[in-house]
Amino acid sequence: MTDTTPPPMKMSGPPYASTESALGGVPSPKVDIAPSAIFLVLYLLGAIVHMTIFQINKRRGHKFIMSGMMFGFCNSRMATCVMRIVWSTRQHNPSIALASQILVLAGVVILFAVNLIFAQRILRASHPSIGWNKWVTLFFRVNLAMLAILVILQVSVNVQSAYTLNENTKRIDRDLSLFGQTFVAASAFLPIPVSIIAFGIPSMRSRVDKFGTGKYRSKLVVLILASILLTLGASFRAGTNLKTPRPSTDPAWYQSKACFYLFDFTVEIIVIFLYIGVRVDRRFYVKNGAKSEGDYSARTDADEKEELRAFARIMSEEEVFDLSALRQHDSGINNLQDIERRLRLDYL
């Protein structure tokens, strides 16, 4: 993918066109419309699948709000792709440029929030005394709140920078923006050490406080893989912005369009479809009402017991009239604890 750097925008406004180069540069019809349209379709597919999963689960009483969050993220990225296509056809419109840049910054924190929620559930399952500690719970809540606050901050400083020519104001806005991007990158990385702690440090409990479906280790692998990808993208964006700003007519190699589509859209698409493929709505599902240590497994084991009882009650027409079959059926109910014990062993 070759870079096509258009001539700088004329200084008119406000809003004023930026004189500094940014990741992805100014889009052009020849280079940007095709990849933006491809990613638009991919995000659309992701939105459709995540919302379908959310609605099906909701009708079954299986509330998994993270599917709705990922649906919202895909929609925000669809708007980003559309705005980038529009910008490529109106390269000298600073208002469209500003809107496009804001959409690029604002959406990705939703995925970071989803991963933090998953990390908290893993920590609570393996080390309940730590995960359910009020200070640890407060830490995760503050982190989630900070992500929301920093989205507002990023939007505010970008708008203010576009509406002023005061160099000191622009410097302050840049410092605030860098702080926000660094914090966001740290939040993207946070689930990795949390997962390492959850898996590597021995727990006082004899077994994991089970939640969702699938093995505990598979949950760790999924979360760590997604976190590595998102950290790669967030760290690249923060790192390139920490470099000394370059003029828009002379962008660096790391500000190329290839880097933009790779470290922004590609890593996000991989995570979106990874979560669809491994069915995180099942693996990371926790029923409403879990408030303290033991709530995950207590509720899950009760559900398993009810499902096994329902399964044991299924009888063929011949069994209904067969006394010996009825006795075998009752014996199966009495041995339910043995079945449950084997299921627990398979989980780890």
Side-chain angles (χ1 to χ4, degrees):
M1 186 180 294
T2 58
D3 265 338
T4 304
T5 305
M9 301 181 192
K10 297 178 180 179
M11 184 59 67
S12 61
Y16 302 103
S18 176
T19 58
E20 298 175 355
S21 60
L23 181 60
V26 178
S28 63
K30 183 178 179 180
V31 176
D32 290 86
I33 288 182
S36 294
I38 292 172
F39 282 111
L40 174 61
V41 172
L42 291 174
Y43 282 118
L44 175 60
L45 290 175
I48 292 172
V49 176
H50 277 294
M51 179 48 65
T52 301
I53 292 173
F54 178 78
Q55 292 296 337
I56 292 174
N57 286 335
K58 185 179 178 182
R59 286 195 292 269
R60 295 173 177 172
H62 181 110
K63 186 178 180 182
F64 191 76
I65 194 66
M66 276 66 75
S67 291
M69 293 172 65
M70 286 182 279
F71 168 76
F73 167 75
C74 289
N75 275 286
S76 71
R77 277 299 185 244
M78 287 163 58
T80 304
C81 293
V82 169
M83 190 56 65
R84 189 161 180 85
I85 292 173
V86 173
W87 185 13
S88 71
T89 61
R90 295 170 174 80
Q91 296 177 328
H92 299 288
N93 188 319
S95 296
I96 293 177
L98 177 62
S100 179
Q101 291 165 351
I102 287 174
L103 287 171
V104 170
L105 291 171
V108 70
V109 295
I110 298 176
L111 287 182
F112 301 158
V114 168
N115 276 6
L116 285 173
I117 294 171
F118 290 166
Q120 185 181 38
R121 291 183 177 182
I122 282 179
L123 184 62
R124 285 176 170 177
S126 60
H127 294 75
S129 59
I130 299 175
W132 288 104
N133 181 276
K134 64 178 182 179
W135 296 110
V136 175
T137 299
L138 179 62
F139 170 77
F140 277 98
R141 288 178 179 175
V142 169
N143 208 307
L144 290 171
M146 283 295 295
L147 288 177
I149 292 171
L150 289 174
V151 169
I152 299 173
L153 176 67
Q154 295 271 44
V155 171
S156 300
V157 298
N158 274 272
V159 171
Q160 181 172 258
S161 293
Y163 278 81
T164 183
L165 296 176
N166 185 287
E167 291 300 323
N168 187 55
T169 301
K170 285 181 174 289
R171 179 187 62 78
I172 295 173
D173 289 339
R174 172 176 163 78
D175 291 342
L176 290 173
S177 180
L178 291 175
F179 165 75
Q181 292 178 46
T182 304
F183 185 93
V184 166
S187 296
F189 176 75
L190 183 59
I192 298 176
V194 170
S195 299
I196 293 173
I197 291 172
F199 183 75
I201 298 179
S203 174
M204 299 296 291
R205 291 176 61 92
S206 59
R207 70 184 186 92
V208 173
D209 198 2
K210 182 181 176 183
F211 68 97
T213 61
K215 293 184 178 181
Y216 175 71
R217 291 181 180 87
S218 67
K219 294 178 174 65
L220 287 171
V221 171
V222 169
L223 180 59
I224 290 175
L225 177 58
S227 298
I228 289 173
L229 289 170
L230 294 178
T231 301
L232 178 63
S235 300
F236 185 86
R237 290 189 295 272
T240 55
N241 286 323
L242 283 168
K243 303 281 285 185
T244 302
R246 299 171 66 99
S248 58
T249 54
D250 183 30
W253 67 266
Y254 49 79
Q255 295 173 319
S256 67
K257 299 181 190 299
C259 289
F260 172 79
Y261 288 110
L262 175 63
F263 291 101
D264 271 39
F265 293 168
T266 302
V267 296
E268 294 170 2
I269 286 293
I270 293 173
V271 172
I272 285 294
F273 285 96
L274 169 68
Y275 282 174
I276 291 173
V278 302
R279 292 303 299 270
V280 292
D281 60 299
R282 294 177 179 175
R283 291 183 183 273
F284 289 90
Y285 174 67
V286 172
K287 279 199 170 183
N288 292 335
K291 297 180 180 178
S292 61
E293 180 177 343
D295 281 0
Y296 287 176
S297 59
R299 299 177 69 84
T300 304
D301 289 347
D303 292 339
E304 286 181 356
K305 187 174 182 179
E306 182 60 31
E307 289 174 2
L308 287 168
R309 288 188 183 277
F311 175 77
R313 285 196 295 267
I314 298 174
M315 303 171 63
S316 66
E317 292 181 1
E318 292 79 6
E319 287 177 321
V320 172
F321 300 101
D322 190 348
L323 180 59
S324 63
L326 285 172
R327 289 173 179 170
Q328 291 176 5
H329 171 260
D330 292 337
S331 175
I333 293 294
N334 293 331
N335 293 328
L336 185 61
Q337 291 181 349
D338 293 335
I339 299 174
E340 291 174 343
R341 190 178 299 110
R342 288 195 294 271
L343 286 173
R344 293 193 186 101
L345 290 175
D346 290 340
Y347 176 74
L348 294 174

mmCIF file of all heavy atoms in Angstrom, residues 71-95:
data_model
loop_
_atom_site.group_PDB
_atom_site.id
_atom_site.type_symbol
_atom_site.label_atom_id
_atom_site.label_comp_id
_atom_site.label_asym_id
_atom_site.label_seq_id
_atom_site.Cartn_x
_atom_site.Cartn_y
_atom_site.Cartn_z
ATOM 1 N N PHE A 71 -21.310 -4.835 19.976
ATOM 2 C CA PHE A 71 -22.179 -4.335 18.909
ATOM 3 C C PHE A 71 -22.045 -2.814 18.790
ATOM 4 O O PHE A 71 -21.921 -2.277 17.680
ATOM 5 C CB PHE A 71 -23.625 -4.711 19.207
ATOM 6 C CG PHE A 71 -24.640 -4.009 18.344
ATOM 7 C CD1 PHE A 71 -24.836 -4.393 17.035
ATOM 8 C CD2 PHE A 71 -25.396 -2.955 18.858
ATOM 9 C CE1 PHE A 71 -25.769 -3.732 16.231
ATOM 10 C CE2 PHE A 71 -26.329 -2.305 18.066
ATOM 11 C CZ PHE A 71 -26.518 -2.693 16.756
ATOM 12 N N GLY A 72 -22.034 -2.138 19.929
ATOM 13 C CA GLY A 72 -21.857 -0.682 19.915
ATOM 14 C C GLY A 72 -20.504 -0.278 19.368
ATOM 15 O O GLY A 72 -20.391 0.700 18.612
ATOM 16 N N PHE A 73 -19.467 -1.035 19.722
ATOM 17 C CA PHE A 73 -18.131 -0.741 19.196
ATOM 18 C C PHE A 73 -18.100 -0.878 17.680
ATOM 19 O O PHE A 73 -17.545 -0.019 16.974
ATOM 20 C CB PHE A 73 -17.102 -1.666 19.834
ATOM 21 C CG PHE A 73 -15.776 -1.639 19.139
ATOM 22 C CD1 PHE A 73 -14.922 -0.566 19.289
ATOM 23 C CD2 PHE A 73 -15.391 -2.681 18.301
ATOM 24 C CE1 PHE A 73 -13.705 -0.521 18.626
ATOM 25 C CE2 PHE A 73 -14.182 -2.649 17.642
ATOM 26 C CZ PHE A 73 -13.333 -1.567 17.808
ATOM 27 N N CYS A 74 -18.672 -1.971 17.164
ATOM 28 C CA CYS A 74 -18.685 -2.176 15.710
ATOM 29 C C CYS A 74 -19.418 -1.044 14.998
ATOM 30 O O CYS A 74 -19.004 -0.597 13.920
ATOM 31 C CB CYS A 74 -19.331 -3.517 15.380
ATOM 32 S SG CYS A 74 -18.340 -4.959 15.819
ATOM 33 N N ASN A 75 -20.505 -0.558 15.603
ATOM 34 C CA ASN A 75 -21.226 0.561 15.004
ATOM 35 C C ASN A 75 -20.391 1.830 14.979
ATOM 36 O O ASN A 75 -20.416 2.583 14.000
ATOM 37 C CB ASN A 75 -22.527 0.803 15.773
ATOM 38 C CG ASN A 75 -23.658 -0.078 15.302
ATOM 39 O OD1 ASN A 75 -24.232 0.125 14.230
ATOM 40 N ND2 ASN A 75 -23.992 -1.088 16.083
ATOM 41 N N SER A 76 -19.653 2.072 16.054
ATOM 42 C CA SER A 76 -18.801 3.263 16.083
ATOM 43 C C SER A 76 -17.703 3.177 15.033
ATOM 44 O O SER A 76 -17.354 4.173 14.395
ATOM 45 C CB SER A 76 -18.180 3.439 17.476
ATOM 46 O OG SER A 76 -17.186 2.459 17.731
ATOM 47 N N ARG A 77 -17.182 1.968 14.817
ATOM 48 C CA ARG A 77 -16.151 1.804 13.798
ATOM 49 C C ARG A 77 -16.738 1.884 12.385
ATOM 50 O O ARG A 77 -16.044 2.320 11.445
ATOM 51 C CB ARG A 77 -15.436 0.471 14.005
ATOM 52 C CG ARG A 77 -14.331 0.544 15.052
ATOM 53 C CD ARG A 77 -13.293 1.531 14.605
ATOM 54 N NE ARG A 77 -12.146 1.599 15.481
ATOM 55 C CZ ARG A 77 -11.793 2.655 16.172
ATOM 56 N NH1 ARG A 77 -12.530 3.749 16.115
ATOM 57 N NH2 ARG A 77 -10.703 2.665 16.911
ATOM 58 N N MET A 78 -17.965 1.485 12.204
ATOM 59 C CA MET A 78 -18.609 1.674 10.908
ATOM 60 C C MET A 78 -18.707 3.162 10.588
ATOM 61 O O MET A 78 -18.442 3.593 9.456
ATOM 62 C CB MET A 78 -19.994 1.034 10.918
ATOM 63 C CG MET A 78 -19.972 -0.486 10.884
ATOM 64 S SD MET A 78 -21.552 -1.231 11.369
ATOM 65 C CE MET A 78 -22.656 -0.505 10.164
ATOM 66 N N ALA A 79 -19.059 3.958 11.594
ATOM 67 C CA ALA A 79 -19.106 5.410 11.396
ATOM 68 C C ALA A 79 -17.717 5.954 11.084
ATOM 69 O O ALA A 79 -17.568 6.869 10.253
ATOM 70 C CB ALA A 79 -19.674 6.078 12.646
ATOM 71 N N THR A 80 -16.682 5.377 11.731
ATOM 72 C CA THR A 80 -15.301 5.809 11.464
ATOM 73 C C THR A 80 -14.924 5.546 10.013
ATOM 74 O O THR A 80 -14.331 6.410 9.345
ATOM 75 C CB THR A 80 -14.328 5.060 12.398
ATOM 76 O OG1 THR A 80 -14.708 5.278 13.756
ATOM 77 C CG2 THR A 80 -12.910 5.544 12.197
ATOM 78 N N CYS A 81 -15.253 4.353 9.512
ATOM 79 C CA CYS A 81 -14.921 4.010 8.127
ATOM 80 C C CYS A 81 -15.671 4.906 7.139
ATOM 81 O O CYS A 81 -15.095 5.364 6.139
ATOM 82 C CB CYS A 81 -15.249 2.544 7.864
ATOM 83 S SG CYS A 81 -14.218 1.373 8.758
ATOM 84 N N VAL A 82 -16.946 5.149 7.422
ATOM 85 C CA VAL A 82 -17.734 6.017 6.536
ATOM 86 C C VAL A 82 -17.147 7.420 6.502
ATOM 87 O O VAL A 82 -16.980 8.028 5.430
ATOM 88 C CB VAL A 82 -19.209 6.058 6.993
ATOM 89 C CG1 VAL A 82 -19.968 7.153 6.246
ATOM 90 C CG2 VAL A 82 -19.875 4.708 6.771
ATOM 91 N N MET A 83 -16.791 7.932 7.686
ATOM 92 C CA MET A 83 -16.251 9.285 7.748
ATOM 93 C C MET A 83 -14.892 9.383 7.060
ATOM 94 O O MET A 83 -14.563 10.405 6.452
ATOM 95 C CB MET A 83 -16.141 9.726 9.201
ATOM 96 C CG MET A 83 -15.814 11.211 9.370
ATOM 97 S SD MET A 83 -16.994 12.301 8.541
ATOM 98 C CE MET A 83 -18.488 11.951 9.487
ATOM 99 N N ARG A 84 -14.110 8.314 7.132
ATOM 100 C CA ARG A 84 -12.808 8.346 6.454
ATOM 101 C C ARG A 84 -12.995 8.339 4.938
ATOM 102 O O ARG A 84 -12.238 8.987 4.211
ATOM 103 C CB ARG A 84 -11.956 7.151 6.892
ATOM 104 C CG ARG A 84 -10.517 7.242 6.402
ATOM 105 C CD ARG A 84 -9.573 6.363 7.182
ATOM 106 N NE ARG A 84 -8.204 6.481 6.694
ATOM 107 C CZ ARG A 84 -7.341 7.414 7.068
ATOM 108 N NH1 ARG A 84 -7.698 8.318 7.949
ATOM 109 N NH2 ARG A 84 -6.124 7.450 6.572
ATOM 110 N N ILE A 85 -13.986 7.613 4.453
ATOM 111 C CA ILE A 85 -14.287 7.633 3.014
ATOM 112 C C ILE A 85 -14.739 9.022 2.590
ATOM 113 O O ILE A 85 -14.303 9.541 1.548
ATOM 114 C CB ILE A 85 -15.360 6.575 2.685
ATOM 115 C CG1 ILE A 85 -14.800 5.168 2.879
ATOM 116 C CG2 ILE A 85 -15.861 6.750 1.253
ATOM 117 C CD1 ILE A 85 -15.828 4.064 2.754
ATOM 118 N N VAL A 86 -15.597 9.636 3.395
ATOM 119 C CA VAL A 86 -16.062 10.996 3.092
ATOM 120 C C VAL A 86 -14.891 11.970 3.090
ATOM 121 O O VAL A 86 -14.776 12.828 2.208
ATOM 122 C CB VAL A 86 -17.134 11.438 4.114
ATOM 123 C CG1 VAL A 86 -17.488 12.911 3.912
ATOM 124 C CG2 VAL A 86 -18.379 10.566 3.984
ATOM 125 N N TRP A 87 -13.999 11.830 4.088
ATOM 126 C CA TRP A 87 -12.839 12.723 4.171
ATOM 127 C C TRP A 87 -11.943 12.584 2.948
ATOM 128 O O TRP A 87 -11.374 13.565 2.458
ATOM 129 C CB TRP A 87 -12.060 12.408 5.449
ATOM 130 C CG TRP A 87 -10.909 13.325 5.734
ATOM 131 C CD1 TRP A 87 -10.627 14.520 5.141
ATOM 132 C CD2 TRP A 87 -9.857 13.110 6.686
ATOM 133 N NE1 TRP A 87 -9.494 15.068 5.662
ATOM 134 C CE2 TRP A 87 -9.001 14.234 6.613
ATOM 135 C CE3 TRP A 87 -9.586 12.100 7.596
ATOM 136 C CZ2 TRP A 87 -7.867 14.349 7.425
ATOM 137 C CZ3 TRP A 87 -8.471 12.218 8.403
ATOM 138 C CH2 TRP A 87 -7.623 13.330 8.315
ATOM 139 N N SER A 88 -11.809 11.349 2.424
ATOM 140 C CA SER A 88 -10.943 11.146 1.261
ATOM 141 C C SER A 88 -11.451 11.897 0.034
ATOM 142 O O SER A 88 -10.671 12.223 -0.869
ATOM 143 C CB SER A 88 -10.824 9.652 0.953
ATOM 144 O OG SER A 88 -12.043 9.144 0.437
ATOM 145 N N THR A 89 -12.758 12.153 -0.007
ATOM 146 C CA THR A 89 -13.324 12.884 -1.149
ATOM 147 C C THR A 89 -13.412 14.391 -0.894
ATOM 148 O O THR A 89 -13.723 15.149 -1.809
ATOM 149 C CB THR A 89 -14.732 12.356 -1.477
ATOM 150 O OG1 THR A 89 -15.594 12.560 -0.352
ATOM 151 C CG2 THR A 89 -14.682 10.868 -1.805
ATOM 152 N N ARG A 90 -13.160 14.784 0.356
ATOM 153 C CA ARG A 90 -13.173 16.213 0.725
ATOM 154 C C ARG A 90 -11.966 16.498 1.599
ATOM 155 O O ARG A 90 -12.072 16.826 2.773
ATOM 156 C CB ARG A 90 -14.475 16.577 1.456
ATOM 157 C CG ARG A 90 -15.713 16.452 0.580
ATOM 158 C CD ARG A 90 -16.981 16.569 1.405
ATOM 159 N NE ARG A 90 -18.177 16.590 0.576
ATOM 160 C CZ ARG A 90 -18.757 15.520 0.050
ATOM 161 N NH1 ARG A 90 -18.223 14.318 0.269
ATOM 162 N NH2 ARG A 90 -19.839 15.618 -0.693
ATOM 163 N N GLN A 91 -10.793 16.368 0.993
ATOM 164 C CA GLN A 91 -9.546 16.408 1.748
ATOM 165 C C GLN A 91 -9.268 17.758 2.411
ATOM 166 O O GLN A 91 -8.529 17.820 3.391
ATOM 167 C CB GLN A 91 -8.372 16.046 0.824
ATOM 168 C CG GLN A 91 -8.443 14.625 0.298
ATOM 169 C CD GLN A 91 -7.307 14.318 -0.661
ATOM 170 O OE1 GLN A 91 -6.834 15.194 -1.380
ATOM 171 N NE2 GLN A 91 -6.870 13.074 -0.678
ATOM 172 N N HIS A 92 -9.831 18.820 1.908
ATOM 173 C CA HIS A 92 -9.531 20.151 2.439
ATOM 174 C C HIS A 92 -10.653 20.696 3.312
ATOM 175 O O HIS A 92 -10.749 21.909 3.518
ATOM 176 C CB HIS A 92 -9.240 21.118 1.279
ATOM 177 C CG HIS A 92 -8.063 20.696 0.450
ATOM 178 N ND1 HIS A 92 -6.761 20.774 0.900
ATOM 179 C CD2 HIS A 92 -7.989 20.151 -0.796
ATOM 180 C CE1 HIS A 92 -5.943 20.335 -0.031
ATOM 181 N NE2 HIS A 92 -6.660 19.945 -1.080
ATOM 182 N N ASN A 93 -11.491 19.802 3.828
ATOM 183 C CA ASN A 93 -12.554 20.209 4.740
ATOM 184 C C ASN A 93 -12.124 19.888 6.172
ATOM 185 O O ASN A 93 -12.162 18.724 6.592
ATOM 186 C CB ASN A 93 -13.849 19.469 4.386
ATOM 187 C CG ASN A 93 -15.030 20.005 5.173
ATOM 188 O OD1 ASN A 93 -14.935 20.289 6.360
ATOM 189 N ND2 ASN A 93 -16.166 20.137 4.505
ATOM 190 N N PRO A 94 -11.698 20.886 6.958
ATOM 191 C CA PRO A 94 -11.188 20.613 8.311
ATOM 192 C C PRO A 94 -12.252 20.073 9.261
ATOM 193 O O PRO A 94 -11.923 19.350 10.201
ATOM 194 C CB PRO A 94 -10.658 21.976 8.773
ATOM 195 C CG PRO A 94 -11.366 22.979 7.931
ATOM 196 C CD PRO A 94 -11.614 22.316 6.618
ATOM 197 N N SER A 95 -13.510 20.395 9.055
ATOM 198 C CA SER A 95 -14.573 19.875 9.925
ATOM 199 C C SER A 95 -14.719 18.366 9.776
ATOM 200 O O SER A 95 -14.853 17.633 10.765
ATOM 201 C CB SER A 95 -15.904 20.562 9.599
ATOM 202 O OG SER A 95 -15.838 21.948 9.870
#
